[in-house]
Amino acid sequence: MKNICIHLLICGLVCLPLVSCNKQPALDKNNPFFLTYNTNFNVPPFEKIMAVHYMPAFNEGMIQGRKDIEKIVTAKKEPTFENTIAAYDKAGELLRNVSAVFFSQSTANTNDSLQKIEIEISPVLSAYNDEILLNPELFKKVKSVYDNQEKFNLKPDQKFILENLYKGFVRNGANLDQTDQDTLKAYNQKLSVLTVKFSQNVLAENNSYTLFLNKEDLKGLPESVVNAAAETAKNAGQDGKWAITTQRPSIFPFITYAENRSLRKQVYEAYANRGNNGNEFDNNKILAEIVKIRADRAKLLGYKTHSDIILEPRMAKTPENVLNLLDNLWKKAIPVAKNELAGMQKIAQKEGTRLKIEPSDWWYYAEKLRKEKYDLNDSELRPYFKLNNVRDGAFNVANKLFGITFTPLTALPRPHPEAEAFEVKEADGTHVGVLYMDFFPRESKQQGAWCGTYRSHSLVDGKEITPVVTTCFNFTKPSGSLPALLSVEEASTLYHEFGHALDALFNKSNYNQTYIAWDFVELPSQIMEHWATEPEVLNLYAKHYETGESIPAELVQKIKNSSYFNQGFETVEYLAASLLDIKFHTLTAPAVINVQPFEKEYLAGIGLIPEILPRYRSTYFLHIAGGYDSGYYSYIWAAVYDNDAFEAFKEKGLFDQTVAASFRKNILERNGTMDAMQMFLNFRGREASIDPLLKNRGLMQNNNSTN
Ligand SMILES: [Zn+2]
């Protein structure tokens, strides 16, 4: 849970539009989307794709997609899996291609033109999707296949796709009458604009705040943080000064080390009030409207709340099941966080201050507590986590587990000049796929870390289409003569996204449609984090960037000891955000709220201590605007499963070939093509136990390691 990533989901299938004009302009022969890519491994020819190419490609993609759907709908033959479900799966190939490139680029490499296109295209695509999912003739065909499935002798993955597709239609209003469907379309269009605006506001707020520092303000900061601050000031046109922004790699080292308390408070409050400043980028009303429309939409669809719709196809199934798990963990975590707070308050007292710890103080005193209890500080560790060593370490782990190799592809077109490209191959040299890694922050990139696909695994006319996967990060940059030296948390984040990448690279789906349960999607990523900090693995990759020496055993032991450190806080801040998410989305219509008091009263009501803010407050909680609504809990849900799955390796050996092969075959290759619970049962042979999670986080009653 240390590493929360925004898992970028690029929809499998977007198809169909409102009006098709009869006169179509001739297609631009120079538009890369209308040509064969003609690149190695058929990756998108990034350097040839210009902003002007997107809209024509989107439009043509929708025209072609509409034709594909029309063909299915007007077919005279009895609907079968092949002529309906498989045909639907293939429909809209161009649109799928352009969407994959556009949405990856608009997240990692955006600019004013792309932002404009995003605003323009989002409601159009939403309408296009609605038109397919609300197409009564298409639904009739899908329903016919669903009702007659016994006739077709379907394979298990085909059955799984059919079931999910059919239920997806129903959740999207296929059973509504025309008037209600029109209302639904209007809701969806409004939401698509509001959620994009919400996320653009957060990006704007991040870019608008800079705190310039004087020399005396640098007290307490390690050299790497000072250098990064100098770099930030230089980029802001103030060479010779130092600056802090609300970007996570800038603010968090600062509030961890800066001795100047009022500056820590100032920058943290700027961070915690993004989207809540009453300016043109304020998200309060936007979020209230999003919540209201979602509740109205749920009612229209015959569901109690928005959460009920979202959770139906997930492992959790209902909001009650989610709340049960979150409440259980909340009860264990709050006392641990209070205990941590008491420890920090004691340090403040010892220092002779009378201050009462505030939210903006937590990182600073936590670091002191860590030093006091574990004699371990971040800057002592970073030299052993040079980015390239961490990356190669992750490659090495994958090689030892699965035999795969990673070969740099320096000449391959890349999504951004800073991105690295690798060919992933089996032990016998067979091509598996392409992996991009894009490590550093820039203004054109969203914050956080994520994994996405430019192309997923599928079969076309019996031929295997191999995946093209991208991972994006916002790591501490190299500065001056220092290479990029990561924190342990950043190293874990690399392993996390790498786990998502392996999931995408190993996937063996025959179809474009995959249905990955969102509360399972973090299992393949979170399980990789365990390898990142296992002593046996640290010895393989954590080498000093200057001397090349392996990390000393005592430091490894300290990392191990400190793995419980601050877990009360981290669990509480995460759970607070998760609970807030569920609270917003279990409101019944008419859901009229005032966001600030709503957030405050709810969090106080469940017993959140005032010294901790939720990991994301409402107005910059990108997950709940951007597709993780009612889904933020899923990281910890998956954590129950990843901790238990990793126990299987602990029991037999970290690189046990039988366990690794079973994990690949039963989980990584199948994800999205069979029921998630069944996959887990096939791998583990039993249901997951919650104990490994509690134990690993120091949340067991008899395992209170913060003392
Ligand atoms: Zn993730």
Side-chain angles (χ1 to χ4, degrees):
M1 183 182 60
K2 275 182 245 163
N3 306 294
I4 306 288
C5 85
I6 299 173
H7 188 65
L8 185 67
L9 291 157
I10 294 161
C11 348
L13 195 82
V14 249
C15 300
L16 99 110
L18 299 168
V19 221
S20 87
C21 34
N22 294 327
K23 277 196 177 171
Q24 290 154 18
L27 293 184
D28 173 6
K29 294 212 172 65
N30 295 319
N31 189 324
F33 291 114
F34 300 150
L35 303 166
T36 312
Y37 284 167
N38 205 14
T39 54
N40 277 344
F41 309 115
N42 207 26
V43 300
F46 293 103
E47 64 273 28
K48 291 187 188 153
I49 298 171
M50 307 293 158
V52 293
H53 296 136
Y54 287 114
M55 281 314 280
F58 272 124
N59 287 329
E60 175 61 20
M62 287 186 282
I63 288 167
Q64 290 183 10
R66 193 183 311 136
K67 278 186 193 152
D68 294 340
I69 296 293
E70 192 59 23
K71 226 164 133 189
I72 299 170
V73 168
T74 54
K76 295 277 178 292
K77 288 186 180 160
E78 184 206 359
T80 63
F81 185 89
E82 276 310 313
N83 73 18
T84 305
I85 311 301
Y88 174 82
D89 187 72
K90 286 202 188 92
E93 189 189 353
L94 172 62
L95 187 56
R96 195 157 47 241
N97 289 343
V98 61
S99 298
V101 176
F102 179 77
F103 288 107
S104 280
Q105 290 295 82
S106 69
T107 318
N109 192 15
T110 195
N111 55 40
D112 289 349
S113 309
L114 261 53
Q115 289 206 338
K116 266 188 213 130
I117 296 171
E118 201 178 3
I119 285 275
E120 196 179 329
I121 200 64
S122 293
V124 179
L125 288 179
S126 163
Y128 184 78
N129 274 322
D130 279 350
E131 200 172 318
I132 288 185
L133 292 170
L134 299 175
N135 180 328
E137 295 308 314
L138 179 62
F139 179 60
K140 225 184 271 172
K141 298 247 174 181
V142 172
K143 188 170 182 334
S144 165
V145 180
Y146 182 78
D147 290 343
N148 297 299
Q149 54 184 289
E150 298 310 324
K151 279 195 206 169
F152 306 122
N153 198 17
L154 299 179
K155 294 183 185 135
D157 64 327
Q158 295 174 325
K159 269 191 172 178
F160 183 77
I161 284 175
L162 175 60
E163 166 125 4
N164 276 278
L165 182 65
Y166 171 76
K167 288 192 174 159
F169 269 100
V170 172
R171 276 193 305 276
N172 277 287
N175 281 332
L176 297 181
D177 66 25
Q178 192 56 52
T179 318
D180 285 349
Q181 287 196 350
D182 288 343
T183 310
L184 182 68
K185 282 181 197 168
Y187 286 154
N188 289 342
Q189 293 239 23
K190 272 192 212 162
L191 281 171
S192 70
V193 175
L194 287 167
T195 50
V196 169
K197 183 76 184 130
F198 184 98
S199 132
Q200 291 188 354
N201 282 348
V202 176
L203 187 61
E205 288 272 89
N206 271 329
N207 288 333
S208 72
Y209 180 88
T210 310
L211 174 71
F212 288 98
L213 305 172
N214 296 313
K215 188 142 197 199
E216 63 268 24
D217 302 332
L218 305 175
K219 261 185 146 176
L221 300 181
E223 191 191 344
S224 61
V225 180
V226 173
N227 288 344
E231 196 79 20
T232 306
K234 194 174 164 191
N235 291 340
Q238 302 256 10
D239 202 359
K241 281 201 160 184
W242 300 268
I244 301 299
T245 70
T246 52
Q247 308 271 358
R248 291 183 77 94
S250 181
I251 177 178
F252 283 97
F254 181 77
I255 60 175
T256 302
Y257 298 109
E259 287 179 15
N260 187 324
R261 187 179 188 220
S262 71
L263 285 180
R264 292 200 310 264
K265 190 177 163 104
Q266 198 179 323
V267 69
Y268 185 69
E269 282 180 359
Y271 175 84
N273 281 302
R274 288 172 297 157
N276 184 30
N277 292 310
N279 57 15
E280 59 184 308
F281 305 122
D282 194 286
N283 271 335
N284 282 298
K285 283 200 176 129
I286 292 176
L287 181 59
E289 206 174 339
I290 290 171
V291 167
K292 180 179 181 303
I293 295 172
R294 283 177 178 160
D296 290 343
R297 183 173 62 178
K299 190 177 172 193
L300 183 75
L301 287 165
Y303 286 80
K304 202 171 142 208
T305 71
H306 180 67
S307 285
D308 288 278
I309 299 177
I310 297 291
L311 296 173
E312 188 180 62
R314 304 208 173 156
M315 275 179 107
K317 303 282 188 269
T318 67
E320 290 72 30
N321 289 338
V322 174
L323 285 170
N324 274 344
L325 181 79
L326 298 185
D327 282 344
N328 271 340
L329 290 162
W330 183 256
K331 279 181 206 128
K332 312 260 185 196
I334 282 279
V336 182
K338 283 183 177 167
N339 191 20
E340 289 162 2
L341 175 65
M344 300 194 309
Q345 195 67 62
K346 231 183 254 170
I347 290 179
Q349 260 165 18
K350 255 195 265 170
E351 287 180 345
T353 66
R354 289 172 173 231
L355 68 85
K356 190 177 164 313
I357 304 270
E358 292 182 19
S360 56
D361 293 317
W362 196 288
W363 287 263
Y364 183 74
Y365 284 100
E367 178 62 15
K368 292 197 170 201
L369 190 61
R370 171 150 72 173
K371 268 186 207 157
E372 188 183 284
K373 286 202 184 296
Y374 305 101
D375 188 26
L376 185 73
N377 69 59
D378 186 55
S379 39
E380 193 182 353
L381 290 169
R382 281 185 190 258
Y384 294 98
F385 292 91
K386 188 170 89 169
L387 171 60
N388 287 355
N389 290 346
V390 178
R391 179 201 62 200
D392 293 346
F395 289 172
N396 195 5
V397 166
N399 176 263
K400 287 168 86 81
L401 284 168
F402 309 115
I404 54 173
T405 60
F406 298 79
T407 313
L409 296 166
T410 43
L412 197 73
R414 283 164 294 160
H416 188 276
E418 287 178 3
E420 299 176 357
F422 299 90
E423 185 190 1
V424 185
K425 288 183 279 194
E426 300 286 4
D428 66 4
T430 315
H431 178 75
V432 174
V434 169
L435 171 66
Y436 291 112
M437 303 185 103
D438 180 2
F439 291 117
F440 303 116
R442 51 179 178 261
E443 277 205 2
S444 64
K445 205 190 219 180
Q446 287 283 3
Q447 289 198 21
W450 62 90
C451 174
T453 48
Y454 284 102
R455 188 172 69 218
S456 305
H457 185 279
S458 66
L459 281 188
V460 173
D461 302 327
K463 186 173 166 275
E464 187 179 25
I465 304 295
T466 54
V468 178
V469 180
T470 182
T471 49
C472 285
F473 307 88
N474 277 278
F475 287 151
T476 309
K477 279 184 163 187
S479 66
S481 59
L482 283 182
L485 300 177
L486 306 188
S487 65
V488 176
E489 186 180 340
E490 285 176 321
S492 295
T493 300
L494 190 146
Y495 274 75
H496 178 109
E497 299 308 332
F498 183 64
H500 281 307
L502 290 178
D503 191 25
L505 286 162
F506 285 149
N507 195 278
K508 286 282 173 235
S509 174
N510 294 332
Y511 299 95
N512 287 305
Q513 301 166 77
T514 49
Y515 296 90
I516 299 176
W518 276 30
D519 38 13
F520 194 74
V521 76
E522 297 301 336
L523 182 139
S525 51
Q526 292 183 166
I527 195 171
M528 286 308 297
E529 291 181 38
H530 293 276
W531 273 277
T533 51
E534 277 293 320
E536 188 181 336
V537 181
L538 283 169
N539 284 330
L540 290 175
Y541 80 86
K543 315 244 184 227
H544 195 282
Y545 80 100
E546 284 174 321
T547 64
E549 277 170 39
S550 283
I551 188 165
E554 53 168 333
L555 268 188
V556 174
Q557 190 56 46
K558 280 179 186 173
I559 293 177
K560 187 85 189 144
N561 291 347
S562 68
S563 66
Y564 297 135
F565 177 69
N566 217 24
Q567 281 297 295
F569 171 82
E570 290 197 6
T571 307
V572 164
E573 69 155 10
Y574 165 82
L575 288 173
S578 305
L579 286 159
L580 192 57
D581 168 28
I582 295 291
K583 184 65 186 173
F584 276 129
H585 294 119
T586 46
L587 295 170
T588 50
V592 179
I593 54 162
N594 188 342
V595 168
Q596 290 303 316
F598 181 88
E599 175 188 306
K600 202 174 160 202
E601 282 158 29
Y602 173 65
L603 294 172
I606 57 171
L608 177 64
I609 55 177
E611 292 80 4
I612 298 179
L613 295 185
R615 185 173 171 110
Y616 298 96
R617 293 190 62 216
S618 308
T619 54
Y620 53 92
F621 199 167
L622 284 170
H623 299 75
I624 64 173
Y628 256 79
D629 37 300
S630 283
Y632 194 59
Y633 77 94
S634 57
Y635 294 96
I636 211 160
W637 186 279
V640 169
Y641 290 85
D642 80 66
N643 276 276
D644 192 57
F646 189 67
E647 282 291 300
F649 287 93
K650 296 278 274 188
E651 288 157 9
K652 296 273 164 66
L654 287 189
F655 296 107
D656 183 89
Q657 294 299 291
T658 312
V659 182
S662 164
F663 186 67
R664 176 172 175 175
K665 179 169 149 276
N666 287 309
I667 292 187
L668 299 179
E669 290 184 1
R670 297 275 180 280
N671 206 0
T673 67
M674 75 184 287
D675 179 72
M677 181 58 89
Q678 193 55 52
M679 289 191 304
F680 187 85
L681 292 173
N682 291 349
F683 168 64
R684 199 68 171 110
R686 57 160 174 77
E687 286 187 10
S689 153
I690 196 173
D691 289 347
L693 174 80
L694 292 176
K695 194 180 78 191
N696 291 338
R697 292 197 182 168
L699 302 175
M700 291 270 229
Q701 253 179 347
N702 55 358
N703 184 18
N704 190 345
S705 53
T706 58
N707 284 319

